[in-house]
Amino acid sequence: MAVNSIGLLGGTFNPIHNKHLELARLAYEQLHLAKVLIIPSGISYLKEDTGVLPGDVRYEMCREACRGDSRLEVSDIEIKREGNSYTCDTLRELITLAPDNTYYFIAGTDSFFAMDNWRDPGYIFKNCIIVVAARGNDTAEDISCQMKIYEGRYDAAIRILHLKPDDTSSTEIRKRIHEGKDVSGFLPEGLIKYINENGLYR
């Protein structure tokens, strides 16, 4: 384990669920990270905010989900920042705070293929290692082709994590909670208790 190797897993996390946590732990183990930062987004310029709970609530849900797991740490770096959340800005802030760290940015394949359209992609590729979370139903050939494009264009360093196919989504989980259905297979027990006590997604 390298003490300065830090994973970054961002998202709306509305709510965070077991597959998010599984991905973070897999990255921790396979990449020999010191820890993985779970970073709930502030205001995303890529998503409609309709139905998205306030940042402080999503932050607390992440804290409940990660409670007791020393491998995971929840960061409010994007929640505290005013305006839209951009990965390049988050990375700049983290590097300013801890310039000796090596950052591993964990991205799903949808995000990975779209990174060319993000703000200042060159800075992101230059200053962190990209970790592609590829599920079994993702096309290896397409991922490999995109990797070569980024490697050629940005001299990018890219790793791949292979995950089991899964269609768990926060949208479906919110729907189940709203309908009063069991979500024990999707969320940690402490998070379910927090959601119920605060009447979220009802």
Side-chain angles (χ1 to χ4, degrees):
M1 177 192 299
V3 295
N4 64 339
S5 295
I6 309 298
L8 307 176
L9 180 60
T12 310
F13 299 135
N14 187 42
I16 191 169
H17 54 69
N18 288 341
K19 291 303 174 181
H20 293 134
L21 301 173
E22 179 184 313
L23 170 58
R25 290 163 182 153
L26 182 66
Y28 174 90
E29 297 293 341
Q30 292 193 11
L31 300 171
H32 308 290
L33 303 175
K35 63 182 175 182
V36 177
L37 288 183
I38 304 295
I39 308 175
S41 63
I43 301 173
S44 174
Y45 71 104
L46 293 172
K47 289 188 176 182
E48 294 284 345
D49 280 336
T50 305
V52 178
L53 293 180
D56 58 338
V57 176
R58 290 181 287 111
Y59 172 76
E60 289 301 329
M61 286 197 294
C62 289
R63 280 168 49 86
E64 286 295 335
C66 298
R67 192 177 299 281
D69 192 333
S70 61
R71 298 167 292 184
L72 310 180
E73 179 181 319
V74 183
S75 170
D76 62 356
I77 190 170
E78 293 193 357
I79 299 297
K80 293 189 300 184
R81 186 188 305 136
E82 294 182 359
N84 289 337
S85 292
Y86 296 101
T87 298
C88 60
D89 293 340
T90 299
L91 192 56
R92 282 192 181 92
E93 191 171 343
L94 290 170
I95 290 172
T96 298
L97 292 170
D100 293 330
N101 285 348
T102 299
Y103 291 103
Y104 290 73
F105 180 77
I106 304 164
T109 48
D110 287 351
S111 294
F112 176 67
F113 285 119
M115 288 184 73
D116 246 350
N117 299 317
W118 291 11
R119 173 175 285 191
D120 205 351
Y123 181 87
I124 299 171
F125 284 111
K126 180 181 179 180
N127 288 283
C128 65
I129 297 167
I130 305 301
V131 181
V132 186
R135 300 198 181 276
N137 53 355
D138 292 321
T139 305
E141 183 177 350
D142 290 344
I143 295 173
S144 178
C145 180
Q146 193 65 41
M147 285 177 63
K148 290 176 182 176
I149 291 172
Y150 290 152
E151 288 166 351
R153 186 173 298 162
Y154 302 108
D155 194 26
I158 302 170
R159 307 284 186 272
I160 298 180
L161 288 180
H162 294 285
L163 309 175
K164 296 177 181 178
D166 187 88
D167 58 358
T168 301
S169 74
S170 295
T171 300
E172 177 60 26
I173 292 170
R174 292 196 301 272
K175 183 173 182 288
R176 292 181 68 89
I177 294 172
H178 182 71
E179 295 173 350
K181 294 181 179 178
D182 178 39
V183 290
S184 58
F186 301 98
L187 304 175
E189 183 177 339
L191 177 53
I192 294 174
K193 182 180 178 182
Y194 179 87
I195 288 172
N196 289 337
E197 287 178 348
N198 290 275
L200 304 178
Y201 305 119
R202 299 299 182 185

